[in-house]
Amino acid sequence: MITIKDITKSFGSLQVLKGIDLHINKGEVVSIVGPSGAGKTTLLQIIGTLDRPDTGSVIVDGIDTSRLSTKKLSDFRNQHLGFVFQFHQLLPEFTAIENIMIPAYIAGVSQKQAKKRAKELLDFMGLADRATHKPNELSGGEKQRVAVARALVNNPAVILADEPSGSLDSKNKEELHKLFFDLRDQFGQTFVIVTHDETLASITDRTIHLRDGLIEEPEIVIAPQDQTPEEPCLNSENTIPSE
């Protein structure tokens, strides 16, 4: 689903990414972890075509994003990618269902189709009774579920999430994490998640560790080889009798 080759990125004299190679399969839930300043969000933004690398290529769903014009990149993001942020970023003047429908409108989907899809997602999220509520009438967990539904409305190939549960309490965090795997199991959705949440990282299919702009390879622990057992010592009590 995603192939990244030799990605580098600098901001002035500061090199943030120093040659990233990464492959993510369709249907994987992958977490990216590392200390602050490791380059996690920069890498996520490059995967999401929100920023361009200095060198290297990003291929998403079979499309080399480095070859797309600015206009085509915008269309690509709308149709192939979904974004979930730490804070829901819902528009306060619109209801839950209207917020979900907005990316579909941008993609040129009819109001009837967009509303049908938004209702299906609200049902899946367990929020059918909150469709006409505005963000200030929703709990933190409900807002983030609406944000996830908005990310899914155009059936994107990949969901990119930046600290998606960072502002939630432990109960809502657990529910949101379960939702990601439910969506993967139900729709074959691919997730790339930047997180500091150790619990979330521990349950993802794979964890990518970034440090100082590079992917840290996991340590390979080599188990000691079995030693050849010593031959039994024959003494007066266990001497093999002769015929």
Side-chain angles (χ1 to χ4, degrees):
M1 181 55 69
I2 302 172
T3 300
I4 297 167
K5 296 180 180 178
D6 194 30
I7 290 295
T8 65
K9 181 66 178 180
S10 296
F11 297 97
S13 60
L14 177 63
Q15 188 173 20
V16 178
L17 299 177
K18 303 174 182 178
I20 301 293
D21 294 295
L22 182 61
H23 182 81
I24 296 172
N25 296 314
K26 178 177 172 58
E28 267 197 300
V29 179
V30 174
S31 56
I32 300 176
V33 302
S36 297
K40 303 183 300 296
T41 296
T42 300
L43 177 59
L44 197 72
Q45 289 175 339
I46 288 174
I47 296 172
T49 72
L50 297 171
D51 200 356
R52 290 186 182 270
D54 295 334
T55 66
S57 64
V58 178
I59 299 171
V60 180
D61 201 17
I63 298 171
D64 186 344
T65 60
S66 65
R67 298 178 179 273
L68 300 179
S69 66
T70 301
K71 171 63 171 64
K72 288 186 176 180
L73 268 181
S74 179
D75 294 339
F76 175 84
R77 277 192 297 272
N78 178 252
Q79 295 167 19
H80 293 264
L81 302 174
F83 296 88
V84 181
F85 304 98
Q86 179 173 352
F87 300 102
H88 51 80
Q89 307 292 350
L90 300 178
L91 298 178
E93 64 270 30
F94 294 108
T95 64
I97 194 167
E98 288 169 342
N99 267 283
I100 295 169
M101 293 166 66
I102 289 171
Y105 285 151
I106 294 171
V109 175
S110 70
Q111 181 179 3
K112 181 179 179 181
Q113 289 177 306
K115 193 168 187 178
K116 179 176 182 291
R117 172 66 173 160
K119 282 183 174 180
E120 290 172 351
L121 289 168
L122 281 169
D123 286 342
F124 186 85
M125 304 289 172
L127 296 174
D129 60 338
R130 312 296 276 170
T132 59
H133 289 67
K134 292 186 176 179
N136 63 358
E137 300 172 303
L138 303 174
S139 70
E142 289 171 338
K143 290 174 187 175
Q144 200 64 318
R145 282 176 171 262
V146 171
V148 173
R150 179 184 59 190
L152 288 163
V153 72
N154 286 338
N155 297 306
V158 180
I159 297 291
L160 303 173
D162 193 357
E163 297 288 359
S165 57
S167 62
L168 301 178
D169 59 35
S170 57
K171 179 178 182 296
N172 281 307
K173 279 185 181 184
E174 184 177 341
E175 290 179 354
L176 184 66
H177 299 167
K178 180 179 182 299
L179 175 63
F180 292 154
F181 289 92
D182 289 344
L183 290 167
R184 188 271 301 276
D185 295 341
Q186 185 81 11
F187 303 114
Q189 195 67 60
T190 305
F191 283 87
V192 183
I193 307 168
V194 164
T195 184
H196 282 102
D197 191 304
E198 294 180 0
T199 301
L200 174 56
S202 69
I203 62 174
T204 54
D205 299 323
R206 188 154 49 107
T207 301
I208 308 300
H209 295 266
L210 273 189
R211 181 178 294 274
D212 298 329
L214 292 168
I215 293 177
E216 284 189 318
E217 297 297 333
E219 292 185 8
I220 300 175
V221 179
I222 301 175
Q225 295 181 351
D226 293 336
Q227 296 181 355
T228 304
E230 295 181 0
E231 293 183 3
C233 177
L234 300 180
N235 55 35
S236 58
E237 296 181 356
N238 60 11
T239 303
I240 301 174
S242 59
E243 294 182 357

